[in-house]
Amino acid sequence: MFCYAFYLIGRYEFGMEPLAVRRLVRRWYFAAAITGLYVGSFESEFEQQLNDVSRLETADEFRAYFDRRLAAIMTDDYFSITLPSSLDANEAAGPTWWGFVAAQVVLGAKVLFSTAPLSQLLLMGSSGSKKALDKHHLFPDNYLKSRGYLSQRSNRGNFTLVDYQNNIYISDDAPSEYVRKYRDSLGEDEYRRNCEEHALPVGFEDLDYEEFLGKRRQLMGELVKRAYERL
């Protein structure tokens, strides 16, 4: 709602061209959503922004104001340190997790080991009696339980979205087992594409779990940065 208000202000108060204001506001929306900018005492934050904008006179000043704010929020340190750190938590939920999924959509990712675009299966109406997508443990839950990883098995870095059938197929197999099946059937190029689109280190299936989490969270931050820059 607040981001849409800035769209209206940019479009009708400052006379910005539709494409230009859309590009500006979608970057602002992405930044606000993934960082939780309008969470908590957001009224004072929004009021201050309105006061700042009220003192601007031209479309160029309006654009420059948000460019400066974005540059201060979406820094290299945010993508390489802050964001990966926020992904070091249990359960696939919260702004940074869904920001990662949104980044995959922006970059046109397909569902893991599938030809279906992720964006297509996220649409309303794509699920029937079974959900079209499942949050999948890359290192399956029961596999990790059997190896003593009781507290870190549902770390956000251990999740990605897969379609219903693949989730059943993978089951509780060790990563070295189920990934090898896909890698052999899909070929090396497709395997590497899947790794890139899901922020997976190449050869992740053979890594120690803790090492995998560290590398994967870093790659998730890099993927989100690429999507933000594309916006």
Side-chain angles (χ1 to χ4, degrees):
M1 181 177 67
F2 298 131
C3 296
Y4 183 55
F6 286 127
Y7 170 84
L8 294 175
I9 291 170
R11 181 75 182 92
Y12 297 106
E13 296 294 327
F14 290 94
M16 292 181 67
E17 292 296 320
L19 290 178
V21 72
R22 282 178 61 187
R23 183 175 185 275
L24 181 66
V25 172
R26 73 185 177 214
R27 287 188 294 132
W28 182 250
Y29 176 79
F30 190 96
I34 199 170
T35 62
L37 182 63
Y38 296 122
V39 174
S41 302
F42 57 84
E43 295 92 345
S44 58
E45 176 74 26
F46 182 60
E47 184 177 4
Q48 181 59 56
Q49 292 163 5
L50 287 177
N51 288 335
D52 292 342
V53 168
S54 70
R55 292 191 287 269
L56 306 176
E57 296 181 357
T58 67
D60 285 342
E61 290 178 352
F62 182 81
R63 183 186 299 107
Y65 170 78
F66 283 99
D67 283 342
R68 288 195 303 272
R69 293 296 305 271
L70 286 166
I73 297 170
M74 308 300 273
T75 63
D76 287 341
D77 281 349
Y78 172 76
F79 293 110
S80 65
I81 300 173
T82 306
L83 179 56
S85 178
S86 73
L87 292 167
D88 186 12
N90 281 339
E91 299 306 327
T96 51
W97 161 255
W98 289 112
F100 170 71
V101 175
Q104 288 184 292
V105 171
V106 169
L107 296 172
K110 294 182 173 64
V111 181
L112 184 68
F113 300 136
S114 171
T115 59
L118 180 60
S119 57
Q120 178 180 313
L121 297 189
L122 285 167
L123 290 173
M124 290 181 64
S126 61
S127 297
S129 58
K130 297 290 186 181
K131 291 190 299 182
L133 286 171
D134 283 312
K135 294 175 185 175
H136 167 63
H137 290 79
L138 291 155
F139 280 60
D141 191 38
N142 286 331
Y143 167 80
L144 290 174
K145 285 179 183 177
S146 69
R147 281 156 178 75
Y149 292 103
L150 298 179
S151 62
Q152 283 282 79
R153 65 184 191 277
S154 290
N155 190 278
R156 286 176 187 164
N158 190 32
F159 284 101
T160 201
L161 294 177
V162 301
D163 62 39
Y164 172 69
Q165 291 297 332
N166 273 330
N167 199 34
I168 293 175
Y169 180 74
I170 291 169
S171 185
D172 295 323
D173 289 349
S176 58
E177 295 177 14
Y178 80 79
V179 174
R180 177 57 57 190
K181 297 174 187 175
Y182 284 110
R183 196 166 182 172
D184 290 343
S185 62
L186 295 174
E188 194 64 15
D189 289 344
E190 275 297 292
Y191 165 78
R192 288 178 176 270
R193 178 189 63 75
N194 275 272
C195 287
E196 180 179 354
E197 293 183 354
H198 289 263
L200 298 167
V202 173
F204 75 94
E205 63 271 22
D206 295 319
L207 293 177
D208 172 77
Y209 181 56
E210 294 288 352
E211 182 183 7
F212 160 75
L213 288 178
K215 289 185 175 182
R216 209 249 170 157
R217 289 192 296 258
Q218 203 67 39
L219 290 174
M220 291 170 83
E222 293 172 11
L223 185 145
V224 172
K225 182 179 181 181
R226 290 202 307 273
Y228 172 72
E229 290 173 344
R230 179 170 294 187
L231 292 175

